[in-house]
Amino acid sequence: MEKEFKPLILVPTYNEALNIKFFLNEIFKFCPDINVLIIDDNSPDGTAEIVHQMCDKRIYILKRTKKSGLASAYIEGFKKGIDLGFNQFIEMDADFSHKPEYLPVMLENLKKYDFVIGSRNIKGGSVENWSVLRNFISKAGSLYSKIVLWCPINDLTGGFNGWNIDVVNAVGLDNIISKGYSFQIELKYRAYKKGFKYIEFPICFPDRKYGESKMDKNIFFEAMKNVIKIRFSK
């Protein structure tokens, strides 16, 4: 008997008041029946309150007491989604760098593959309004991770990804050692090592228009240092 397809979008937020309502409305424009879980790190700008005011049954919210990092936000989000009975999960940022228009493609691929990667680093993929330096650092980071981990995935650092529950369970969320942005690298690497079937499809990744980026060079280079730990973790 074929398993029921029950997808949930996971969106970690911190100070996304300028984006969140428009972002959610854009999601529902392309996928009217999908559900979304907002994982908010007690944003002082009132992000969670804006979500509550929308009074939409398709939106769940998990409000955390403090800013505790991307990895723990996603891990809590996956666990909450599983408890709610969902069995496919899509990671997205709330700043429109992950375009909601790609969701139908992501969802269709999730019916055929164990995990799906929206990739900037394959033919047809691109970035938009990035500086030459930022583009170089991003591509170098993915290439470095690919070489160190001996893993063929082209966009290891990207955050627009889809996962079937079998992958999440097999990887084991409690086995994740990453605390920050290397979480995306580690989850893909562990899934690949376990032999799960995946696909990368091309996306355009624009820079955010509103609010402040959470990424800086220190966070990025910390993630790159963690690649070595991931390589030799169990």
Side-chain angles (χ1 to χ4, degrees):
M1 183 176 176
E2 189 173 340
K3 184 164 56 178
E4 184 181 3
F5 193 69
K6 294 186 66 178
L8 177 70
I9 300 175
L10 305 177
V11 184
T13 57
Y14 184 75
N15 285 351
E16 293 292 354
L18 295 175
N19 292 307
I20 193 63
K21 185 174 182 179
F22 303 105
F23 177 70
L24 288 168
N25 285 336
E26 192 76 359
I27 285 175
F28 296 134
K29 172 183 170 183
F30 290 98
C31 299
D33 298 323
I34 204 158
N35 290 275
V36 182
L37 173 63
I38 302 296
I39 308 119
D40 187 70
D41 275 3
N42 200 23
S43 298
D45 71 349
T47 300
E49 287 67 29
I50 292 171
V51 175
H52 278 302
Q53 289 166 11
M54 292 180 73
C55 297
D56 193 314
K57 292 182 179 179
R58 296 169 293 184
I59 304 171
Y60 299 86
I61 186 159
L62 176 59
K63 188 169 182 179
R64 309 203 304 166
T65 56
K66 61 181 180 178
K67 191 176 182 182
S68 302
L70 185 71
S72 66
Y74 268 128
I75 288 169
E76 286 192 40
F78 277 117
K79 289 180 176 180
K80 179 69 173 178
I82 292 169
D83 287 344
L84 290 169
F86 294 96
N87 55 21
Q88 282 82 26
F89 304 95
I90 298 171
E91 300 171 291
M92 292 188 79
D93 293 341
D95 60 4
F96 286 96
S97 56
H98 302 150
K99 297 183 179 182
E101 66 192 66
Y102 292 125
L103 281 171
V105 180
M106 176 69 80
L107 290 165
E108 194 58 36
N109 277 314
L110 264 179
K111 294 176 181 177
K112 306 170 190 173
Y113 295 89
D114 298 313
F115 67 104
V116 182
I117 300 163
S119 180
R120 304 160 293 182
N121 299 335
I122 61 172
K123 185 177 180 181
S126 63
V127 297
E128 191 176 84
N129 298 324
W130 279 28
S131 68
V132 173
L133 179 60
R134 183 181 177 189
N135 194 19
F136 171 78
I137 290 174
S138 175
K139 282 187 165 49
S142 269
L143 180 60
Y144 165 79
S145 302
K146 187 176 180 179
I147 292 170
V148 171
L149 298 174
W150 202 244
C151 176
I153 294 172
N154 293 292
D155 197 342
L156 280 162
T157 59
F160 183 40
N161 310 299
W163 306 91
N164 273 292
I165 192 170
D166 293 342
V167 183
V168 177
N169 287 335
V171 166
L173 294 172
D174 293 332
N175 295 326
I176 299 294
I177 63 171
S178 297
K179 304 299 181 186
Y181 280 83
S182 59
F183 172 79
Q184 303 293 4
I185 301 169
E186 183 175 356
L187 198 54
K188 290 172 197 165
Y189 174 66
R190 287 181 179 271
Y192 164 73
K193 289 290 286 183
K194 288 187 175 293
F196 285 104
K197 187 169 68 168
Y198 73 92
I199 188 173
E200 294 184 72
F201 73 94
I203 63 167
C204 173
F205 186 102
D207 198 8
R208 67 160 59 235
K209 292 182 179 179
Y210 305 108
E212 295 182 1
S213 175
K214 316 303 186 295
M215 174 64 79
D216 62 32
K217 64 181 181 180
N218 293 327
I219 291 173
F220 182 83
F221 287 118
E222 181 66 27
M224 292 303 98
K225 282 199 309 185
N226 286 338
V227 171
I228 301 293
K229 296 178 184 178
I230 292 168
R231 172 67 176 80
F232 294 104
S233 66
K234 293 182 180 180

